[in-house]
Amino acid sequence: MRTITGLWRWRRNPLHRRTDRVEAWFAVLCGVLLLAGGPWVALTAGSATERSLLATAAAERSQREQTVATVRRPLGQPAHDADPETAQAPHTRTRVLARWTAPDGTVRTGGIVAPPGSDAPGDRFRIWTDLRGAPAQPPMPPMMAQTHAWLAGIGAATAWGVLVEGVRRAVRWRIIRFRYACWDREWERVGPDWGRTGTGS
């Protein structure tokens, strides 16, 4: 409001230039775009990301099922744990040879990663499989989708702010260059006669 009030008073100042008005009004426009556009961009990007991730999570839940795996024997430490929740501590999980029942009722056997403390023969734990019975990662939880949506909204709002500020600086730089060019033309016109008494009379 102070900027708008000052701009309204400045317009009657006899020293103001057209470029001053353009620069001031463009700064006000950029401020409005930041204040009004930033939240809108964040909400739009966050909502779109959340809808997409929730749809992906729903599709994963429809294509995966939980079952119980029974350990037959340990196979040693896993070379790579693709589960993001346990990848930070891979040495606490052991790869085992286990048996489980696929969604179609057939019995499957294979090497999978067992949770900590469940690597002894006969231990049982729950795993996720796809519709063919192959081990699969758990579907994305809704909380993770919401977290990614928040991050996407914040990132989009930040990018919007950087874009608006970049455009404002570029326009201001062009205005300053235009002022310098006008000053050069004025100086070329009056410079040779500067300080001469009676010049132009």
Side-chain angles (χ1 to χ4, degrees), residues 68-170:
V68 176
T70 303
V71 178
R72 301 186 66 179
R73 60 183 175 86
L75 296 177
Q77 297 292 339
H80 174 69
D81 189 355
D83 190 345
E85 296 183 358
T86 59
Q88 299 299 325
H91 298 298
T92 63
R93 297 168 66 87
T94 304
R95 191 170 182 81
V96 299
L97 181 66
R99 183 178 65 253
W100 65 90
T101 303
D104 60 3
T106 59
V107 177
R108 305 293 179 87
T109 301
I112 58 176
V113 178
S118 300
D119 56 350
D123 287 345
R124 297 163 61 87
F125 55 90
R126 300 190 69 84
I127 64 170
W128 286 89
T129 67
D130 58 22
L131 298 181
R132 296 174 299 179
Q137 293 298 318
M140 179 185 299
M143 183 60 67
M144 182 177 294
Q146 294 173 0
T147 301
H148 285 293
W150 274 99
L151 294 177
I154 294 174
T158 302
W160 174 256
V162 171
L163 175 63
V164 172
E165 178 62 15
V167 172
R168 187 193 70 82
R169 288 176 179 268

Side-chain angles (χ1 to χ4, degrees), residues 28-103:
V28 172
L29 175 62
C30 289
V32 172
L33 289 176
L34 284 175
L35 294 177
W40 180 81
V41 169
L43 182 62
T44 302
S47 299
T49 302
E50 184 177 17
R51 287 195 302 269
S52 176
L53 292 178
L54 288 178
T56 300
E60 290 178 348
R61 285 193 298 270
S62 66
Q63 298 172 0
R64 300 177 187 179
E65 293 189 10
Q66 269 193 321
T67 186
V68 176
T70 303
V71 178
R72 301 186 66 179
R73 60 183 175 86
L75 296 177
Q77 297 292 339
H80 174 69
D81 189 355
D83 190 345
E85 296 183 358
T86 59
Q88 299 299 325
H91 298 298
T92 63
R93 297 168 66 87
T94 304
R95 191 170 182 81
V96 299
L97 181 66
R99 183 178 65 253
W100 65 90
T101 303

